[in-house]
Amino acid sequence: MTWPAFIAQFHAKGRDKAEGYFPFHFEGMSDDELTRARVMMEARGVEGDTTDLDGLRLIGDAATIAKLDAARMADAAHGVAFEAARRETLFALTHDADHLAPLLVLLDAPEDRNSAFAAQALARHPLPSSFAPLLAARILDGRHEVALLWIVKAWLSARGEAVWQVPVFDANLPFIRQVMAVRPADRTTVFDEWQRMKSPF
């Protein structure tokens, strides 16, 4: 029944479509069926369907990586939501944080909605420590307040906190609230206190 489950989701609309793909949509597929599903999702994904882009992280292969990398030429046409989904899927398939790095620049997008898309995408993943100072600069500059929650979460990720997991997020919530409650100029003090608490000495 796997192929019918996949086809039903592939052709879903509205809220059902937005639920996306899960492993059960692909489990039990033959190699031919899996290849066919992958090609269908790639074709629609590179045309701008972010649900199919996201689903490819479950079944993508080397050819998918090449196609999604080439699809960077469509980022400007399809917008930040497309680029974020494309980069997240590439990261999921390769574990190479270089695919996520351009989202740091998108945090500075003039439209708050686009900045928030980039911040949310970053906050969903384990990030390298090299991202931390770049994220901290945006937390401190006072120009990213709409996306601040997700930027703080991304900073925590770059500091080794798995904030996409609910218990870890909950444990860090007092810190997140404290950062968001103070003026940007006072956030360095909050960071320093967090570091003292985390220090083993």
Side-chain angles (χ1 to χ4, degrees), residues 80-98:
V80 172
F82 172 84
E83 180 173 358
R86 185 182 66 80
R87 291 191 176 281
E88 285 189 89
T89 298
L90 281 168
F91 175 70
L93 295 175
T94 66
H95 306 290
D96 183 349
D98 285 348

Side-chain angles (χ1 to χ4, degrees), residues 4 7 23 49 55 85 100 130 137 146 150 168 171 174:
I7 286 295
D49 190 307
L100 295 177
S130 60
V146 171
W150 301 290
V168 179

Side-chain angles (χ1 to χ4, degrees), residues 87-141:
R87 291 191 176 281
E88 285 189 89
T89 298
L90 281 168
F91 175 70
L93 295 175
T94 66
H95 306 290
D96 183 349
D98 285 348
H99 290 298
L100 295 177
L103 296 178
L104 292 165
V105 177
L106 290 178
L107 294 176
D108 304 328
E111 293 187 21
D112 289 337
R113 177 176 177 271
N114 290 342
S115 179
F117 259 122
Q120 289 170 38
L122 287 166
R124 284 192 282 263
H125 302 286
L127 301 176
S129 59
S130 60
F131 282 29
L134 301 171
L135 291 161
R138 288 163 172 86
I139 293 168
L140 299 174
D141 68 12

Side-chain angles (χ1 to χ4, degrees), residues 23-117:
F24 76 83
H25 286 114
F26 309 103
E27 289 170 355
M29 278 190 179
S30 68
D31 290 343
D32 287 345
E33 288 173 334
L34 198 59
T35 297
R36 185 179 172 194
R38 185 183 299 116
V39 169
M40 291 167 64
M41 293 169 68
E42 287 170 352
R44 208 158 65 175
V46 299
E47 289 299 317
D49 190 307
T50 55
T51 301
D52 283 292
L53 275 180
D54 181 75
L56 283 167
R57 72 181 66 193
L58 298 172
I59 62 169
D61 60 8
T64 306
I65 293 169
K67 288 175 183 177
L68 296 189
D69 191 46
R72 66 187 180 279
M73 304 303 293
D75 286 347
H78 293 313
V80 172
F82 172 84
E83 180 173 358
R86 185 182 66 80
R87 291 191 176 281
E88 285 189 89
T89 298
L90 281 168
F91 175 70
L93 295 175
T94 66
H95 306 290
D96 183 349
D98 285 348
H99 290 298
L100 295 177
L103 296 178
L104 292 165
V105 177
L106 290 178
L107 294 176
D108 304 328
E111 293 187 21
D112 289 337
R113 177 176 177 271
N114 290 342
S115 179
F117 259 122

Side-chain angles (χ1 to χ4, degrees), residues 135-143 145 148 184-188 191:
L135 291 161
R138 288 163 172 86
I139 293 168
L140 299 174
D141 68 12
R143 295 187 290 109
E145 299 302 287
L148 185 61
D186 296 329
R187 288 171 185 162
T188 298
F191 280 4

